[in-house]
Amino acid sequence: MKQIAFYGKGGIGKSTTVCNIAAALADQGKKVMVVGCDPKHDCTSNLRGGQEIPTVLDILREKGLDKLGLETIIEKEMIEINDIIYEGYNGIYCVEAGGPKPGYGCAGRGVIVVIDLLKKMNLYKDLKLDIVLYDVLGDVVCGGFAMPLRMGLAEQIYVVTSSDYMAIYAANNICRGISEFVKRGGSKLGGLIYNVRGSMDAYDIVNEFADKLGANIVGKVPNSHLIPEAEIEGKTVIEYDPNDEISQVYRELAKKIYENNEGTIPKPLENIEIMTIGKKIKERLKKERMKN
C-alpha cells in the first residue's frame, strides 16, 4: 500500500487534483482511499456528488467518545467502520478528519486522530488498499497537519502550485518543512504539480523554481472550463467527461504518481531568490495586461 500526501496554498486546486487522481486510479482498478485533512471537511465532496460526509471528530463528539482513548474505543467496539468511512465514485473510500469546535483546540488534531484510528482499527490492511491519498490543509506544516511528512507516513509529498507568487512562496515554505523533517525520518518530495490558474500560464517560471529546489514538475494541469463545470455537479472531470483531454491529463498524472518510488530532498530558496522570481512574475503580468 502506498501513501501519498498533497500540500499547497489554500485555493490552489489541491482537492480538485487529489479527487481526480483518486478517480483515475479507481478506474484503473486500484483500491483507493482519500483522507481529507482540512477542518472544512469538503475535500472528498467531488467524489460523492457534492455531498459532504460526517467527520471523524464530529462522530466521536456525537457518540460522546472524544474524551476516551482510542484504545478503549476500539477494544469496546464503540465505533464502526461505517461511522467514519463512506464510499464515493467507483468504490473510493472517503474519510474526513474534521476539526475542533471553533475556538477550541488545535485544528491539526483531526489529522492525528484519524490516522491513529485507521491504523489501530487495522482498516488500511482490512480494506486491502492499494493507495491512500492525504489532502492536507493549505501550506501549514506544523502540528497535526505535518504528520504525514513528519512521521514519514507518506512515501512522497506532492506540492500543488501555480505561477502565482503566493503559491510559489507557500510551496517553498512547504519544501522547507520537508527538508527539515526528512532529517528525522520524514517523507521526501515526490515533485511539484503545476496547476494553471487564471489567465497566465508561466511554466518557464515554475520550472525555474523547480530547478532551484532540485525538484521535478510531475505534471501540468491546464485551465479547462470542464473543471468548474464538473465541480458544480459535485463530480470529478474523470466522472463528468471521461473522454475529454483534461481527463487524460489527470490519468497520466495519476500513473506517474502511482509508479514513482523515488523522492528528493528539496533545497528551499532564500527569500531574496523568491523575491527575484516574484519580480519576474510581476513583469509577466504587466505584459499580459498590455496584450489585453
Side-chain angles (χ1 to χ4, degrees):
M1 185 190 76
K2 297 194 73 167
Q3 299 186 72
I4 307 293
F6 295 81
Y7 286 77
K9 175 182 174 291
I12 201 63
K14 181 166 42 59
S15 295
T16 300
T17 303
V18 170
C19 287
N20 276 283
I21 288 171
L25 290 171
D27 281 355
Q28 293 167 18
K30 303 290 189 297
K31 283 273 193 170
V32 185
M33 175 182 283
V34 175
V35 180
C37 302
D38 189 326
K40 296 199 309 294
H41 60 84
D42 58 356
C43 300
T44 60
S45 62
N46 287 337
L47 296 170
R48 289 180 45 81
Q51 183 180 28
E52 294 183 2
I53 61 177
T55 74
V56 172
L57 288 190
D58 281 344
I59 293 298
L60 291 177
R61 280 192 290 265
E62 287 171 12
K63 288 177 172 282
L65 306 177
D66 51 322
K67 301 294 190 295
L68 300 177
L70 291 183
E71 289 81 4
T72 302
I73 293 170
I74 294 165
E75 183 182 334
K76 295 187 177 181
E77 299 181 348
M78 302 169 81
I79 195 165
E80 299 179 0
I81 183 173
N82 293 335
D83 291 328
I84 59 173
I85 296 180
Y86 293 75
E87 279 201 26
Y89 171 76
N90 210 352
I92 295 170
Y93 296 113
C94 301
V95 182
E96 291 284 354
K101 293 179 181 178
Y104 294 89
C106 170
R109 179 173 174 267
V111 184
I112 297 170
V113 170
V114 75
I115 292 173
D116 270 354
L117 189 59
L118 291 170
K119 288 169 76 173
K120 288 175 178 174
M121 289 180 73
N122 214 30
L123 295 181
Y124 289 135
K125 184 177 179 181
D126 289 350
L127 294 173
K128 299 178 180 178
L129 300 172
D130 293 305
I131 187 166
V132 180
L133 307 178
Y134 298 95
D135 182 353
V136 189
L137 172 66
D139 56 348
V140 180
V141 287
C142 63
F145 298 119
M147 190 174 182
L149 64 89
R150 185 181 72 238
M151 304 298 292
L153 181 69
E155 273 79 4
Q156 295 103 18
I157 305 294
Y158 288 88
V159 180
V160 183
T161 187
S162 67
S163 57
D164 176 73
Y165 174 67
M166 290 310 297
I168 290 176
Y169 183 88
N172 192 59
N173 277 343
I174 294 163
C175 288
R176 181 170 284 113
I178 294 171
S179 66
E180 286 299 318
F181 287 126
V182 80
K183 299 171 187 174
R184 292 168 265 168
S187 306
K188 292 184 178 181
L189 177 67
L192 303 182
I193 298 171
Y194 176 37
N195 191 36
V196 180
R197 309 284 284 181
S199 60
M200 190 175 81
D201 179 0
Y203 181 87
D204 58 319
I205 291 176
V206 178
N207 192 50
E208 178 188 345
F209 170 59
D211 284 344
K212 289 179 182 293
L213 275 177
N216 295 319
I217 297 176
V218 295
K220 172 185 173 182
V221 181
N223 255 329
S224 170
H225 65 89
L226 280 181
I227 296 174
E229 275 185 27
E231 291 189 330
I232 289 169
E233 297 294 327
K235 296 179 179 180
T236 60
V237 176
I238 297 285
E239 180 182 7
Y240 184 70
D241 193 344
N243 297 317
D244 190 81
E245 60 183 23
I246 196 72
S247 293
Q248 186 57 31
V249 167
Y250 282 121
R251 289 190 192 99
E252 290 172 4
L253 179 58
K255 185 173 186 291
K256 283 183 182 178
I257 288 173
Y258 189 78
E259 294 179 352
N260 181 24
N261 294 313
E262 303 297 325
T264 60
I265 302 173
K267 301 184 289 289
L269 281 63
E270 298 297 331
N271 283 343
I272 187 69
E273 296 176 284
I274 288 290
M275 288 178 69
T276 299
I277 288 177
K279 288 175 182 176
K280 290 182 180 180
I281 293 170
K282 178 183 174 183
E283 290 304 313
R284 187 69 58 85
L285 285 169
K286 280 185 177 180
K287 287 180 183 178
E288 290 291 326
R289 283 199 298 270
M290 288 175 68
K291 284 181 186 177
N292 299 327

